[in-house]
Amino acid sequence: IKDINSNIEMSKIIEEEKKTLFGLNADEWGLISVFTNGFSVIFQMNQLLRTQKAQSFDMNFISLMTLLNFVYFIMGILTLNKGLAIATFSFVIYNLSVMYFHYYGKK
């Protein structure tokens, strides 16, 4: 029985190792993306709010990215990956802001 338990524990460790990339699991990568995506959104949103112009954006692309980021946001919620949910939701907000300023902002 001790050998069976050892094998089960070893297989759990191996499975956990498979779920990492560069030694980080999905939750850790999610938290990293909160900082990197958040940092990116801060600068982009600052520029958008200062100029209130978004005429140079392709609305087909922005719409697709909004949908894609919303799907990833839902995936983050369903998989309990808070980092993924927060990081992608920040881009949903940004993309919706781009759409708003494209249609109602300064021309």
Side-chain angles (χ1 to χ4, degrees):
I1 292 177
K2 188 175 182 181
D3 289 335
I4 293 172
N5 286 338
S6 294
N7 288 340
I8 291 172
E9 288 178 27
M10 184 60 100
S11 65
K12 285 181 182 179
I13 291 170
I14 291 170
E15 284 299 315
E16 285 299 315
E17 287 178 1
K18 287 181 184 177
K19 295 180 183 178
T20 64
L21 179 65
F22 300 115
L24 300 173
N25 65 26
D27 290 333
E28 293 165 333
W29 278 111
L31 292 175
I32 289 171
S33 69
V34 168
F35 293 107
T36 57
N37 290 0
F39 194 64
S40 171
V41 167
I42 287 171
F43 286 107
Q44 293 177 62
M45 188 65 93
N46 180 43
Q47 177 72 14
L48 183 64
L49 293 175
R50 272 191 303 121
T51 63
Q52 296 186 357
K53 292 182 180 181
Q55 301 309 311
S56 62
F57 289 90
D58 179 0
M59 285 301 102
N60 291 326
F61 177 75
I62 293 296
S63 300
L64 183 61
M65 290 306 296
T66 304
L67 178 63
L68 178 65
N69 280 299
F70 186 73
V71 168
Y72 280 124
F73 167 69
I74 297 299
M75 285 176 53
I77 289 173
L78 293 176
T79 61
L80 303 176
N81 188 329
K82 295 174 191 159
L84 178 64
I86 293 168
T88 54
F89 189 69
S90 67
F91 272 111
V92 170
I93 297 300
Y94 171 72
N95 289 334
L96 291 174
S97 300
V98 168
M99 288 181 189
Y100 173 81
F101 284 116
H102 181 80
Y103 294 111
Y104 301 108
K106 295 177 182 176
K107 305 287 182 208

